[in-house]
Amino acid sequence: MHDHALFVQAVSGFTHWVLEPHASITVLERLTDRATAVLDLVGSGILLDIDGVLTFATALPEQVADLEEAQERDQQGPGVDAYRSGHVVTSPDLSVEDRWGGYAAMALARGLHATAGIPLRAGDIRVGAMSVYAASPREWLEDDIAALSALADVATGCLVSGSRQRGKDDLVRQLRGALESRVAIEQAKGFLAAQEGITVEEAFARIRRYARDHNESLRSVAAAVVRDRGLGGPEGSGPGWAGPGG
């Protein structure tokens, strides 16, 4: 069962966001974070439709990012099916899943045993899909699917609300901006991991923690990590370095 109090809080937060613009990547990061917390999951990830190709945009934690990259590469998986069908797609036990080629085996190898794909849509506008993951086989209860769908719908509403006036081209630009954010975050993860002698996942956790604690987007913190160190500043001289490294 999902945490109803957290669900109400998450929906309320997104409802306020509809009334004011936010960067697409910030909305997507919030969606993955809230969906994971509300259902007490391992993690979740987002695919976006860019020129007809579902493309990995953001995910947490690292093993989920691996699966979203696989969905992008192979164009198959729960998120891909959810987007194409317009309906929720579930797999309660990946050990007996025969869809999606090697996807199930890849998930199991990363300790993920159940998944669901949720379309991201607002009316007749479809922008992508969210995939969520559980650490053990899980029956996806109707109430849990309803909660995930509601979060996905209200987050998608945040993405498209401003674009309804400015047109589809503006929405496409927003989604492309989210992908650029992903590239910046990947660079920062690799940079911090190499500098600190830690794993990429540990580096990502530090970046996420700093962004959350300081109410900043992952993209802005990631850019600061690379920029400040690249400029040759001393350790701790800038927010991008001191925070994630601390």
Side-chain angles (χ1 to χ4, degrees):
M1 288 290 292
H2 67 275
D3 186 316
H4 185 69
L6 279 179
F7 169 72
V8 171
Q9 184 181 34
V11 170
S12 176
F14 278 124
T15 301
H16 292 305
W17 278 21
V18 171
L19 303 177
E20 53 185 89
H22 284 81
S24 294
I25 190 61
T26 303
V27 174
L28 297 174
E29 290 166 0
R30 177 67 66 90
L31 174 58
T32 56
D33 184 70
R34 296 301 184 268
T36 299
V38 166
L39 269 76
D40 192 25
L41 300 169
V42 174
S44 55
I46 303 289
L47 299 170
L48 296 177
D49 177 359
I50 303 296
D51 298 329
V53 178
L54 285 170
T55 306
F56 168 43
T58 189
L60 63 94
E62 196 68 26
Q63 65 261 43
V64 169
D66 292 342
L67 290 168
E68 298 309 289
E69 289 175 343
Q71 289 200 76
E72 175 185 344
R73 181 186 65 244
D74 300 332
Q75 291 297 292
Q76 62 178 353
V80 175
D81 281 2
Y83 173 79
R84 290 175 176 167
S85 68
H87 301 291
V88 174
V89 173
T90 64
S91 180
D93 187 352
L94 285 167
S95 69
V96 295
E97 181 59 70
D98 60 2
R99 295 172 289 180
W100 313 319
Y103 173 88
M106 185 178 183
L108 291 169
R110 287 159 175 76
L112 305 172
H113 290 260
T115 186
I118 316 294
L120 301 182
R121 61 191 177 190
D124 59 350
I125 299 176
R126 293 188 298 164
V127 302
M130 173 175 64
S131 299
V132 299
Y133 299 90
S136 59
R138 176 173 182 150
E139 290 296 331
W140 298 99
L141 301 177
E142 184 176 341
D143 284 351
D144 291 345
I145 292 300
L148 287 171
S149 296
L151 289 173
D153 288 349
V154 72
T156 308
C158 292
L159 291 176
V160 305
S161 59
S163 299
R164 288 189 183 275
Q165 289 84 28
R166 296 187 291 271
K168 185 173 177 59
D169 286 347
D170 182 74
L171 178 58
V172 172
R173 282 193 294 271
Q174 285 190 56
L175 300 183
R176 289 187 184 279
L179 297 186
E180 292 172 1
S181 296
R182 167 194 159 193
V183 172
I185 293 165
E186 291 298 318
Q187 290 175 338
K189 285 160 53 178
F191 181 86
L192 189 59
Q195 289 292 322
E196 292 285 289
I198 57 178
T199 66
V200 172
E201 181 156 340
E202 288 171 331
F204 186 41
R206 291 188 184 185
I207 293 170
R208 283 191 67 244
R209 183 169 61 248
Y210 182 85
R212 183 169 55 246
D213 291 348
H214 293 79
N215 197 29
E216 297 183 25
S217 72
L218 278 175
R219 182 177 183 174
S220 65
V221 175
V225 168
V226 176
R227 182 193 64 236
D228 293 350
R229 186 62 173 174
L231 290 174
E235 289 190 17
S237 64
W241 184 259

